[in-house]
Amino acid sequence: MTGQKESGKREAALGFKRSQLLYDIKNLGFIEGDVLEPEQYHTRQRIQDIGERGNVDRVTRIMDLSVAHCTEKLYPFTRREIRRAPTVIDDRLREDKIYWIVLRVAADFSETTLIYLEKLIHEFIVSRVLYDWLSITNPSKREIWREKMEELEAEIMKSLKKRQGRVRRGLHPF
């Protein structure tokens, strides 16, 4: 979703469907549990129960945190003024159907970069949730997901930095 905002700037909204995030989280949680040795039955069950009733509340909080983290990391593109006073923010558990990150980008910002960014952030959210869940259920595996999460975050920032300014090439007579 894109729209005109101010001269030379456009708004683009990246949407992350909760159902798609949960699908990937549950699948990867199942795989993480499935590769354990048969004698680790209880650990397997705890890992694979990531999307079950009660546990999904923790998953929701971490998804919320992950989206807020990405929004903050993208601050040059996502900053918004507080429009009304008082601004009230609370910690109620909400299960948003879609998580949105709205960016304000240059009019010539590449749509392919937005698509890439959406995919990177989706993977970051999934990795962040698995990192958190495995830190509780199987701490020996959490570092793998921390590394993946850090790689994705670095790639998110890299993709934006190379697109921030217009490339200008000087004229060469020969």
Side-chain angles (χ1 to χ4, degrees):
M1 169 159 83
T2 59
Q4 195 91 17
K5 186 68 176 169
E6 58 189 69
S7 179
K9 294 281 186 179
R10 298 213 175 160
E11 278 192 354
L14 304 178
F16 305 92
K17 290 184 177 179
R18 174 184 173 76
S19 61
Q20 294 299 306
L21 291 165
L22 284 174
Y23 179 82
D24 288 349
I25 290 164
K26 288 177 187 180
N27 273 341
L28 290 167
F30 180 83
I31 292 167
E32 278 291 342
D34 197 48
V35 298
L36 294 176
E37 298 297 325
E39 61 271 3
Q40 293 182 296
Y41 175 77
H42 293 294
T43 302
R44 172 183 292 122
Q45 285 305 116
R46 285 192 302 262
I47 293 169
Q48 291 178 338
D49 285 348
I50 190 169
E52 298 303 314
R53 186 181 209 150
N55 297 342
V56 79
D57 293 343
R58 178 66 187 166
V59 169
T60 298
R61 295 247 186 232
I62 300 303
M63 285 193 297
D64 290 346
L65 179 62
S66 300
V67 171
H69 176 82
C70 289
T71 302
E72 187 64 19
K73 288 300 274 185
L74 301 172
Y75 176 77
F77 302 96
T78 59
R79 67 177 170 256
R80 301 281 183 262
E81 293 179 13
I82 296 175
R83 297 182 184 198
R84 58 187 176 130
T87 297
V88 179
I89 300 170
D90 63 50
D91 65 348
R92 272 182 287 160
L93 184 65
R94 295 175 190 82
E95 292 184 359
D96 297 327
K97 289 186 186 221
I98 301 177
Y99 296 94
W100 293 102
I101 297 178
V102 179
L103 301 116
R104 204 172 353 199
V105 297
D108 63 349
F109 195 86
S110 172
E111 186 174 332
T112 58
T113 301
L114 289 173
I115 293 167
Y116 184 51
L117 194 56
E118 179 273 325
K119 299 196 179 316
L120 288 170
I121 292 172
H122 177 99
E123 287 299 313
F124 176 85
I125 295 166
V126 170
S127 297
R128 177 65 179 93
V129 169
L130 285 161
Y131 167 76
D132 180 77
W133 189 251
L134 290 170
S135 73
I136 297 166
T137 60
N138 191 8
S140 66
K141 290 290 209 153
R142 74 179 179 179
E143 287 307 305
I144 293 168
W145 290 97
R146 182 187 57 76
E147 288 173 16
K148 182 173 175 97
M149 190 176 66
E150 289 174 353
E151 288 170 8
L152 288 162
E153 186 174 348
E155 189 63 26
I156 289 167
M157 299 313 292
K158 184 174 129 185
S159 73
L160 286 172
K161 285 181 181 167
K162 65 183 174 186
R163 303 289 197 277
Q164 275 185 326
R166 179 178 283 178
V167 176
R168 299 202 184 264
R169 295 184 181 168
L171 298 174
H172 297 286
F174 300 102

